[in-house]
Amino acid sequence: MTDKYIVPEMPTRRMILTLLKTQGPVGVGSLAAQLGITEMGVRRHLKLMEQDGLIVATIVRQAMGRPTFLYSLSEQGSEQFPRNYDHLLLELLEELDEEQGIEAVHSLFDGRKRKMMKRYAPHMENETTLASRVEKLSGIQNASGYMADWREEEDGSYSLVEYNCPISQIAGHYRKACECEQQMFEELLDAEVVREDCLADGGRSCLYRIRSRKSKSFSGLFSVS
């Protein structure tokens, strides 16, 4: 998997935040190697970022030698990345839940999924292989702020990973949002999709494993009504 989010124009501080977002917890040596600067320089940045409340350090004690430190994002640090949710929206969903029941909330998420299918499906029309569809979906999600990437696994399956979730607060309260995303991926990719990790569960990413449906053809997928 390539770290496409790390580009030379990014300030070092932002690059560190991005590495911690996609790889954390990470040690000083690994950060220095990937950034191409000295460990002393990395420590200087980390000290300031820790003072600003953007990162947290965890001591890892080893059987031999001195303890080492691993760094990860704090809640404040995670907020530096795109999050399009609105606290008001969550309050409205909770109000709807109280007044009309959870099925009314689920109906809203189902409607959102149908609208997204209509918007995304045309981008898949010319993608005739599962690999090309996964790549296209990764690009769509990445452009929407999910920090998405994908890779092909040794067993022929594919992994789609999202390091950021713009609606993570809502998904933490209403898991129907995650269910709808998984269902949408299955329909768009015409494939079996299993979620193996989830940010709403406290995971480091939303990780999907994708496998071909050998018994089905790809034709007729995009007759979305």
Side-chain angles (χ1 to χ4, degrees):
M1 186 184 301
T2 56
D3 289 314
K4 62 180 67 175
Y5 319 109
I6 309 298
V7 293
E9 301 81 18
M10 292 175 66
T12 302
R13 183 182 175 110
R14 183 67 181 182
M15 293 170 73
I16 292 174
L17 286 172
T18 304
L19 286 171
L20 294 183
K21 178 69 172 175
T22 58
Q23 300 178 15
V26 185
V28 170
S30 177
L31 290 172
Q34 295 184 74
L35 295 170
I37 61 178
T38 65
E39 291 190 6
M40 183 179 296
V42 170
R43 287 193 178 91
R44 188 160 51 244
H45 284 287
L46 292 174
K47 181 179 180 181
L48 293 174
M49 292 167 69
E50 193 170 7
Q51 290 174 353
D52 291 341
L54 298 175
I55 63 172
V56 292
T58 303
I59 299 177
V60 179
R61 302 192 182 281
Q62 306 177 82
M64 298 180 62
R66 299 171 58 185
T68 186
F69 286 90
L70 294 180
Y71 295 87
S72 56
L73 293 179
S74 65
E75 183 175 352
Q76 183 178 338
S78 294
E79 292 291 339
Q80 304 302 305
F81 294 91
R83 291 180 183 267
N84 299 328
Y85 63 76
D86 192 327
H87 292 285
L88 176 60
L89 177 57
L90 182 57
E91 291 177 1
L92 291 173
L93 289 174
E94 291 172 344
E95 183 72 17
L96 180 64
D97 190 357
E98 292 175 6
E99 294 292 330
Q100 299 185 31
I102 192 64
E103 291 304 319
V105 177
H106 288 178
S107 180
L108 285 179
F109 284 116
D110 286 331
R112 176 178 179 267
K113 187 194 80 172
R114 288 192 295 271
K115 289 181 179 179
M116 293 176 70
M117 277 291 299
K118 287 183 178 180
R119 188 163 69 248
Y120 291 175
H123 296 283
M124 295 286 185
E125 288 179 346
N126 298 321
E127 307 303 333
T128 58
T129 68
L130 180 54
S132 66
R133 295 195 295 276
V134 173
E135 181 178 17
K136 179 67 72 172
L137 179 58
S138 175
I140 291 172
Q141 292 297 91
N142 196 26
S144 299
Y146 285 83
M147 294 182 69
D149 204 355
W150 72 286
R151 63 174 176 266
E152 183 174 3
E153 304 293 350
E154 293 182 359
D155 63 359
S157 66
Y158 299 88
S159 291
L160 176 67
V161 59
E162 297 171 339
Y163 293 107
N164 188 60
C165 178
I167 60 168
S168 60
Q169 187 184 44
I170 293 171
H173 286 76
Y174 296 101
R175 300 312 303 273
K176 181 69 173 179
C178 300
E179 293 174 17
C180 285
E181 181 176 71
Q182 183 175 348
Q183 292 167 3
M184 183 181 70
F185 287 175
E186 289 178 339
E187 293 179 42
L188 285 171
L189 299 172
D190 188 29
E192 296 178 0
V193 178
V194 176
R195 186 171 57 246
E196 297 186 343
D197 198 10
C198 185
L199 285 163
D201 287 333
R204 193 167 66 84
S205 65
C206 291
L207 175 62
Y208 294 93
R209 181 64 60 89
I210 300 160
R211 292 183 174 85
S212 242
R213 285 177 179 161
K214 295 182 180 178
S215 60
K216 293 184 62 178
S217 68
F218 188 55
S219 60
L221 172 62
F222 299 110
S223 56
V224 181
S225 58

